[in-house]
Each structure stands twice: as structure tokens, then as C-alpha cells.
């Protein structure tokens, strides 16, 4: 059994090109594992709590009050996307002024539901569907976060102190800390310092629920757990793997694919020069997956986001991606596929088969092609063994 966790954007806005890259990498990895014989679950892990969700709820409430004609304004911390203006108008039309006294949490729930609806529809446009949506908050409700902390304490991997054991004097002198936090002994795993697990105010850092989440995955019986994450999460997931080991669990099934940023480039109609597309004039928000599908196609998006190693920064040139010619690898590959299908179809219609075929009629070009085609099984196995889904794109082009 294998699980691939990918996209996992919090429901504060529509999907942009950076999240889409992780989506394509994750979905392709899941397909490859499936082809290799694994039972697969595609999971979306999200957090609908925290300050960003408070800001989202407040932003929608302000847009609702504006729709009622009230003179209220968003702060710089609020979400500015025009989509919230539309949602605010919808609430005003449906409920009038009956929601004026409702707090941000009510509006957060509405915004979250609408955002997830949008995210799912966007992903479906490029043939990505998740089997399970896992909310980080459920780990708190089930007490799994605190159970995990207790197990780590029992195994002597968490201790309470104002400073971490072995903190240098200059670090202590420079710190204003006066109250004890709970520290994870990450130095036992070769880390340069211990990490805070629970802050002095009793609030856990990201690390504790992430360890609890992986404990939950292992308990669900997955042999392989692939996390597709932005490159900035690399250090965090080393600590998570150490936390799993500290619980006495096997962390070898946890695999991480880190992916770098994507820049979306378009030609400026006035200057004719390539410029980075940072916003959508249609929605007034960051470039979205919907915008990309509209400008290109699902297949072009999937191929071009997969055709580079995840560790590589890529430039997504819309004009190049949309070009429908053999200069564009995605259409070159599709053209070859269509011609192969045509040959099989024609052979069937004429009653041809390979029985009794004279293989001496094959020249070097044909043999080279057949040898390459026969590599498919090995390529799938290599992609799965090394968690390198991009290599299937290399193979298709070869």
C-alpha cells in the first residue's frame, strides 16, 4: 500500500502555478506506483486553522459588509482577491443584513467551502483527483498530537527547559526567553541544535502535528508514504523523520520529493519582450491553474511541469507551451502516439498480425525504436525505486 500526499494548499485562495507543479509531480508518482502494482491513496493534507484562516474569514466579512454598502476597508494583511468580492455579494443577496453580527468564523467556513470547491474543479481540469482530504485539526480533536508528545517524552526525546541542552552562552545571552518550552532532542540525530516542539505558551510548532500525522499514516498501514513538498520544507521533514524514529516507528517508508519554484512568462503586447506573469487581470489574483488551462491545455501543463527534475527552477513560457507543432515536445509525443494507434487500427482492419512475421525485414531504425519501447517496464521500476516521476517524461520524449 502506498500513499502520495501532494498539493496540500490551505484553502485561502485558488491554486497557482507553483502548487500545480507539485500536483503534477504527485499525481504522476501515484500513477507510476499504481503501474508498479501498489494499492494507491492520493491524499490532500490541509490546515483550516491558524491566523491565515482568521484573515480569510475577516476578509470575506468585510467584502460582505461592503456589498451591503458599509464603508469598511481591508487592511494589508487581509486577502485582496476579487473572488471574495463575488462571495460577499452572494451572501448579501442570500441573507441581506442578517449576517452583520456573525463573527469571522462563520465567514471562514463559507470561504473554505467555496475555496475547496474551486481547488477540486481546477485540479480536475488537469485530470487530478484526490481520494482523501485530511485536516490537520482532526489530529488535535482526536488527541493524537498530545499522545505523540507523551510518547516522545516517555522515550526521552522531549524535555522542558528555557533553553535547549547545550545552548552556547552567547545564544542564551542574546535571548529574551524566560519561560520553559518543550524541546525535541534532534541533536541525537546529528542536528546542530534541539528544536522547539511546544512553545512556552503551550502552542505546538509545525513539527509536532507533522510527526503525529506521519504516526497516523503508519498506523493506517501504508508501506510507502510519499510527500511532495516545496523546496523550503526540506529541513522540516528531516525533523519529522527523526520524530518518527524517536517514536520507535520505521521511518524508511517516508519519502520526500521537493520541488522548486516556477516562473510563468508571457510576451508583453506593448514591448514584445518576455515578462513574468505575476497576476491575473481577469481576477486580480496570482496566476491560477484555471488561467493556465485556458491559455494552454491540460496535457501541455502536465508535460511541461513534469519534464524537468523537481529540484530545477523552471520557467513556464506560455507561448512555447501552447505552440501546437512538433517543436513542442508534448505535441510531438502525442503525434507519435496517435500514429502508433493508427498503425494498430489499420493492421486490425486489414487482418494483419505478427504471427509468423519475418523480423529480418526490420532495419536499424525500427530495431532501435522497438528496443526503446521495451524499456518501459524498467523505466517505470526506476521511477518508482528512486521516486523520480519526471523520468517518465524524459522517456516519452526519447
Amino acid at each position: 500500500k502506498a500513499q502520495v500526499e501532494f498539493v496540500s494548499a490551505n484553502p485561502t485562495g485558488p491554486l497557482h502555478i507553483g502548487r500545480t507543479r507539485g500536483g503534477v509531480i504527485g499525481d504522476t508518482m501515484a500513477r507510476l506506483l499504481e503501474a508498479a502494482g501498489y494499492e494507491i491513496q492520493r491524499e490532500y493534507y490541509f490546515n483550516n486553522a491558524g491566523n491565515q484562516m482568521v484573515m480569510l474569514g475577516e476578509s470575506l466579512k468585510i467584502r460582505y459588509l461592503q456589498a451591503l454598502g458599509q464603508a469598511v476597508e481591508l487592511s494589508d494583511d487581509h486577502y485582496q482577491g476579487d473572488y471574495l468580492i463575488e462571495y460577499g455579494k452572494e451572501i448579501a443577496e442570500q441573507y441581506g443584513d442578517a449576517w452583520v453580527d456573525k463573527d469571522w468564523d462563520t465567514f471562514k467556513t463559507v470561504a473554505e467551502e467555496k475555496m475547496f470547491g474551486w481547488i477540486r474543479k481546477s485540479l480536475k481540469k488537469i485530470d487530478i483527483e484526490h481520494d482523501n482530504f485530511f485536516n490537520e485539526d482532526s489530529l488535535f480533536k482526536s488527541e493524537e498530537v498530545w499522545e505523540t508528545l507523551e510518547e516522545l517524552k516517555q522515550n526521552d526525546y522531549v524535555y522542558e527547559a528555557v533553553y535547549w541542552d547545550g545552548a552556547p552562552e552567547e545564544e542564551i545571552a542574546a535571548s529574551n526567553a524566560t519561560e520553559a518550552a518543550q524541546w525535541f532532542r534532534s541533536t541525537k540525530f546529528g542536528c546542530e541544535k534541539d528544536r522547539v516542539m511546544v512553545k512556552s505558551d503551550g502552542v505546538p510548532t509545525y513539527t509536532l502535528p507533522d510527526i503525529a500525522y506521519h504516526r497516523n499514516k503508519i498506523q493506517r498501514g501504508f508501506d510507502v508514504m510519499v510527500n511532495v513538498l516545496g523546496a523550503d520544507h526540506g529541513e522540516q521533514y528531516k525533523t519529522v523523520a527523526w520524530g518518527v524514529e524517536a517514536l520507535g516507528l520505521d521511518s524508511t517508508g517516508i519519502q520526500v520529493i521537493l520541488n522548486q519554484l516556477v516562473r510563468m512568462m508571457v510576451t508583453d503586447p506593448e514591448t514584445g519582450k518576455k515578462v513574468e506573469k505575476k497576476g491575473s487581470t481577469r481576477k486580480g489574483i496570482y496566476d491560477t491553474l484555471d488561467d493556465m488551462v485556458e491559455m494552454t491545455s491540460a496535457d501541455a501543463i502536465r508535460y511541461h511541469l513534469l519534464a524537468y527534475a523537481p529540484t530545477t527552477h523552471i520557467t513556464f513560457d506560455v507561448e512555447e507551451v501552447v505552440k501546437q507543432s512538433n517543436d513542442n515536445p508534448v505535441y510531438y509525443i502525442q503525434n507519435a502516439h496517435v500514429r502508433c494507434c493508427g498503425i494498430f487500427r489499420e493492421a486490425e482492419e486489414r487482418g494483419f498480425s505478427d504471427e509468423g512475421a519475418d523480423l529480418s525485414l526490420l532495419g536499424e531504425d525500427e530495431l532501435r525504436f522497438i528496443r526503446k519501447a521495451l524499456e518501459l517496464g524498467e523505466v517505470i521500476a526506476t521511477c518508482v525505486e528512486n521516486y523520480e516521476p519526471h523520468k517518465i517524461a524524459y522517456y516519452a520524449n526519447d
Side-chain angles (χ1 to χ4, degrees):
K1 282 177 72 178
Q3 185 213 65
V4 185
E5 182 241 310
F6 59 104
V7 183
S8 296
N10 291 335
T12 52
L15 290 181
H16 56 71
I17 188 169
R19 294 286 190 183
T20 304
R21 185 181 193 185
V24 171
I25 290 167
D27 189 58
T28 306
M29 191 69 244
R31 290 168 188 245
L32 285 159
L33 284 160
E34 235 163 6
Y38 282 82
E39 181 188 327
I40 287 292
Q41 184 194 63
R42 293 165 171 84
E43 184 151 287
Y44 192 121
Y45 176 68
F46 68 99
N47 178 7
N48 67 349
N51 189 56
Q52 58 183 341
M53 298 303 290
V54 175
M55 287 294 114
L56 182 68
E58 287 181 3
S59 304
L60 180 54
K61 179 166 185 178
I62 290 167
R63 292 304 195 189
Y64 160 70
L65 294 174
Q66 287 174 346
L68 293 175
Q70 292 192 23
V72 285
E73 296 297 329
L74 296 172
S75 73
D76 290 342
D77 292 331
H78 287 121
Y79 288 90
Q80 310 290 324
D82 286 355
Y83 53 92
L84 291 175
I85 296 174
E86 295 306 312
Y87 298 162
K89 285 177 182 173
E90 287 173 20
I91 296 168
E93 285 168 12
Q94 188 172 353
Y95 298 103
D97 62 4
W99 279 33
V100 168
D101 294 325
K102 289 191 181 292
D103 64 12
W104 64 267
D105 195 53
T106 304
F107 289 88
K108 182 214 79 164
T109 303
V110 173
E112 180 188 337
E113 190 179 313
K114 286 182 175 291
M115 279 297 105
F116 260 129
W118 189 353
I119 288 167
R120 285 179 183 179
K121 278 183 189 170
S122 298
L123 289 170
K124 200 166 183 179
K125 287 178 182 177
I126 58 168
D127 206 15
I128 293 176
E129 292 187 70
H130 288 84
D131 304 305
N132 193 41
F133 285 77
F134 191 104
N135 186 349
E136 181 186 338
D137 196 41
S138 68
L139 295 167
F140 287 90
K141 287 176 181 170
S142 67
E143 299 288 321
E144 288 174 78
V145 167
W146 308 118
E147 287 169 12
T148 300
L149 182 66
E150 198 50 44
E151 285 178 32
L152 289 168
K153 283 180 181 176
Q154 287 171 7
N155 293 351
D156 195 29
Y157 281 98
V158 169
Y159 62 94
E160 197 163 322
V162 177
Y163 308 104
W164 62 278
D165 287 354
E169 286 183 18
E170 58 269 23
E171 185 179 321
I172 294 171
S175 172
N176 297 321
T178 56
E179 295 183 38
Q182 299 192 55
W183 298 81
F184 174 58
R185 295 189 191 278
S186 45
T187 46
K188 281 194 173 184
F189 299 92
C191 191
E192 75 284 354
K193 61 181 289 184
D194 289 343
R195 304 292 180 95
V196 174
M197 191 71 85
V198 181
K199 293 181 282 188
S200 58
D201 61 3
V203 176
T205 61
Y206 288 121
T207 308
L208 181 57
D210 279 354
I211 294 170
Y213 174 52
H214 285 81
R215 171 180 175 266
N216 176 287
K217 287 192 200 196
I218 292 167
Q219 287 172 347
R220 281 188 269 163
F222 294 111
D223 304 294
V224 171
M225 293 145 281
V226 183
N227 303 303
V228 181
L229 304 165
D232 55 336
H233 286 75
E235 286 303 310
Q236 166 74 356
Y237 267 80
K238 280 185 195 168
T239 311
V240 170
W242 296 334
V244 169
E245 286 179 43
L247 290 169
L249 300 170
D250 183 3
S251 68
T252 55
I254 301 171
Q255 302 293 331
V256 176
I257 302 174
L258 297 173
N259 64 95
Q260 285 288 358
L261 299 172
V262 183
R263 289 199 315 153
M264 190 172 179
M265 305 296 286
V266 293
T267 302
D268 186 319
E270 291 181 13
T271 64
K273 292 181 179 176
K274 296 282 183 189
V275 293
E276 186 173 353
K277 181 177 168 55
K278 290 186 176 177
S280 162
T281 52
R282 186 160 50 86
K283 296 191 181 77
I285 51 180
Y286 289 111
D287 46 282
T288 66
L289 173 54
D290 294 349
D291 294 334
M292 286 199 298
V293 173
E294 207 171 276
M295 287 186 274
T296 58
S297 71
D299 290 334
I301 290 165
R302 287 188 69 116
Y303 178 80
H304 284 277
L305 289 178
L306 191 68
Y308 303 88
T311 49
T312 310
H313 286 84
I314 62 174
T315 298
F316 191 89
D317 188 324
V318 174
E319 279 85 1
E320 291 300 313
V321 172
V322 78
K323 197 184 287 178
Q324 295 199 27
S325 75
N326 278 347
D327 294 334
N328 184 339
V330 71
Y331 296 111
Y332 184 64
I333 293 163
Q334 288 186 334
N335 185 34
H337 175 71
V338 167
R339 289 181 70 179
C340 289
C341 290
I343 290 166
F344 283 127
R345 189 171 57 249
E346 187 73 16
E348 191 177 0
E349 285 173 8
R350 295 193 192 189
F352 288 170
S353 80
D354 56 8
E355 211 163 298
D358 182 359
L359 300 185
S360 68
L361 297 172
L362 295 172
E364 187 49 41
D365 284 347
E366 289 89 349
L367 288 168
R368 212 155 46 88
F369 170 71
I370 289 168
R371 288 188 198 106
K372 177 56 69 175
L374 289 170
E375 288 174 18
L376 177 60
E378 290 173 29
V379 172
I380 290 170
T382 301
C383 290
V384 167
E385 284 163 16
N386 299 322
Y387 302 94
E388 295 179 325
H390 60 286
K391 291 199 171 167
I392 199 73
Y394 295 177
Y395 171 74
N397 200 30
D398 286 348

